[in-house]
Amino acid sequence: MEVNPSVPAALPTSPQAPWSVAVVSEKIRGWIARLGEVWVEGQVVQFRERPGAWLQYLVLRDMDEQVSLSVSVPSAVLQASAATIEAGARVLVRAKPDFYRGNGSFSLRAAEIRPVGIGELLARIEHLRGILAAEGLFDVDRKRPLPFLPNAVGLVTGRNSDAMHDVVKNAQARWPGVRFEVREVAVQGVGAVREVTAAIAELDATPSVEVIVVARGGGAFEDLLPFSDEVLLRAVADCRTPLVSAIGHEQDTPLLDLVADVRASTPTDAAKRIVPDVAQERRGVDNARRSMRQSLIARLHREQQGVDAIRARPVLARPLSMVESREQEIAGVVRHSRHLLSEVLLRASGEVGRLAAQVRALSPAATLERGYAVVQRDDGTIIRAPADAPSGAALRIRLAEGELAATAD
């Protein structure tokens, strides 16, 4: 019979010469002791710290195979560890296999514990989150608004991925004329950060591209690590074109969602954010036109009512009534003024006649009319005595109806 070398040889025991439990336990303990130290990675599923005890106990589990191991940890090792020991934490343990003879139980005796896996990655991401937040890369005031209707949409997504089809199909269903500049790149793995960063830079340098969408249809936490890479995040922060993050993973939010100008929960949600719905916009235009028409009709109706009310007023119903009343008042004033003026002129005429009679009575002309004359020298001096007119002097004799020239003798 062929012997399988992986199967140990039968122990020198028989029904007549069996080993005792103590001997078997000691044999097993010896075999296990020869294993030496091993590094074990697993997730903590059970741990309760015992204050004051020198030895602590926890249970590690392989979540894929659903296999668990008990681990005993000296309190000094636990205190020296940088790992946070709590349910759900993934840790790396350097331990020596141990078999306890008292109850036949197998466990590991830990000599060192380190954080590892998601726990360590989460710690690194949280540290980077704090640095970027302190630099202001998550601030709301640096978020740029998306254009209402972009000329072209840049799309960075996986090669022939469902995320690409979701974005393009839903966007074109909302606005059939939308145009895409698609860059298919690796969205996980070693080259993902380099390819996604290069695609974003290329689209950002394209003048026709007015918004960029980085889309991926979710995935495991490890698969999404490129979207929390510092190089990629700083490239997005320096991008001049508004950028939409559409990673589609609600449980573990990558840091790209915080740096991007807009976060979409899924690629389909991103399609709804980058272009308007043409049917909804048409309804909005129709509603606006209807509202404006109703407002205009209501305004015209109010103005017509105002005009009718003004026209119904007496001043507009008989517009000449005010002019006629003023005309009558003016006519009365004119008549009164004429009457007063006639009286004044009549009194003034009588006064002028009286004064004229007095002037005539006092005037030399009346004396001249009775036959008297006034003798004057050439210079107009009136001669009152013969001495005033020496012999040979030229004289003027003024009569009632003219003058005579004479010479004094």
Side-chain angles (χ1 to χ4, degrees):
M1 182 178 67
E2 183 179 356
V3 178
N4 188 347
S6 63
V7 178
L11 297 176
T13 61
S14 66
Q16 292 75 27
W19 282 354
S20 66
V21 173
V23 173
V24 172
S25 298
E26 188 62 30
K27 294 289 185 181
I28 294 175
R29 182 180 181 184
W31 292 334
I32 292 175
R34 290 198 296 270
L35 291 176
E37 286 189 341
V38 294
W39 285 97
V40 181
E41 180 182 344
Q43 183 173 358
V44 179
V45 295
Q46 183 178 345
F47 173 71
R48 174 176 290 182
E49 187 174 1
R50 300 188 303 166
W54 74 276
L55 200 61
Q56 308 291 333
Y57 297 93
L58 56 89
V59 176
L60 288 181
R61 177 173 294 180
D62 187 325
M63 302 305 294
D64 295 331
E65 301 294 336
Q66 296 297 313
V67 177
S68 301
L69 278 177
S70 297
V71 181
S72 59
V73 186
S75 296
V77 173
L78 191 64
Q79 294 173 1
S81 174
T84 301
I85 308 302
E86 59 183 8
R90 293 184 64 86
V91 294
L92 190 65
V93 179
R94 179 170 63 87
K96 182 177 177 60
D98 185 31
F99 183 78
Y100 182 57
R101 293 180 58 197
N103 57 8
S105 62
F106 174 80
S107 64
L108 296 174
R109 176 65 64 87
E112 182 181 356
I113 299 180
R114 299 179 184 177
V116 74
I118 294 178
E120 182 179 4
L121 294 174
L122 283 174
R124 294 175 183 175
I125 291 175
E126 286 301 318
H127 179 68
L128 179 59
R129 183 199 300 267
I131 294 176
L132 299 182
E135 294 180 10
L137 268 63
F138 303 157
D139 293 349
V140 177
D141 55 1
R142 66 171 299 275
K143 306 291 184 183
R144 291 156 294 190
L146 301 183
F148 173 72
L149 186 59
N151 181 44
V153 177
L155 178 59
V156 181
T157 184
R159 297 179 176 88
N160 196 26
S161 63
D162 292 337
M164 179 183 68
H165 297 301
D166 288 345
V167 173
V168 174
K169 180 182 68 176
N170 287 282
Q172 291 179 344
R174 292 170 60 84
W175 197 274
V178 63
R179 184 168 62 88
F180 280 92
E181 290 284 344
V182 181
R183 300 294 183 269
E184 298 183 65
V185 297
V187 292
Q188 69 182 61
V190 178
V193 173
R194 182 185 69 257
E195 293 187 24
V196 173
T197 303
I200 292 175
E202 180 182 353
L203 293 172
D204 187 37
T206 304
S208 61
V209 174
E210 297 181 2
V211 61
I212 300 174
V213 179
V214 179
R216 176 193 164 93
F221 174 78
E222 293 84 352
D223 296 336
L224 302 181
L225 290 177
F227 300 102
S228 294
D229 186 87
E230 184 175 1
V231 174
L232 174 59
L233 298 178
R234 294 193 179 279
V236 171
D238 295 336
C239 185
R240 295 169 299 176
T241 307
L243 188 139
V244 179
S245 172
I247 305 304
H249 197 270
E250 294 290 346
Q251 288 77 17
D252 299 306
T253 301
L255 296 184
L256 177 62
D257 288 350
L258 303 178
V259 179
D261 298 291
V262 175
R263 176 188 180 274
S265 58
T266 61
T268 301
D269 182 39
K272 296 179 180 179
R273 292 174 178 268
I274 58 177
V275 291
D277 187 352
V278 63
Q280 182 178 354
E281 295 302 322
R282 285 175 177 171
R283 289 193 299 269
V285 171
D286 292 340
N287 292 336
R289 292 177 61 184
R290 185 165 48 253
S291 176
M292 288 188 292
R293 184 182 297 108
Q294 293 174 352
S295 298
L296 181 58
I297 292 174
R299 179 66 178 271
L300 291 175
H301 181 66
R302 290 195 302 270
E303 296 299 329
Q304 184 63 50
Q305 288 179 336
V307 171
D308 293 341
I310 293 173
R311 292 178 60 186
R313 295 178 180 177
V315 68
L316 293 181
R318 295 183 65 254
L320 296 179
S321 61
M322 181 180 294
V323 177
E324 291 172 351
S325 63
R326 296 303 180 194
E327 182 183 15
Q328 293 175 359
E329 292 180 5
I330 293 173
V333 171
V334 170
R335 287 193 301 270
H336 184 64
S337 299
R338 286 176 177 174
H339 176 70
L340 294 178
L341 182 59
S342 297
E343 291 183 352
V344 171
L345 292 176
L346 182 60
R347 288 196 300 271
S349 177
E351 184 67 20
V352 169
R354 185 180 64 80
L355 293 176
Q358 291 179 359
V359 169
R360 282 194 299 270
L362 298 176
S363 174
T367 304
L368 294 177
E369 288 177 356
R370 293 198 299 270
Y372 292 94
V374 177
V375 181
Q376 296 176 314
R377 289 202 300 256
D378 287 341
D379 59 2
T381 305
I382 297 175
I383 303 299
R384 293 184 172 83
D388 295 334
S391 179
L395 300 176
R396 292 171 53 198
I397 301 173
R398 184 176 178 183
L399 305 176
E401 295 181 3
E403 291 183 357
L404 292 175
T407 302
D409 184 8

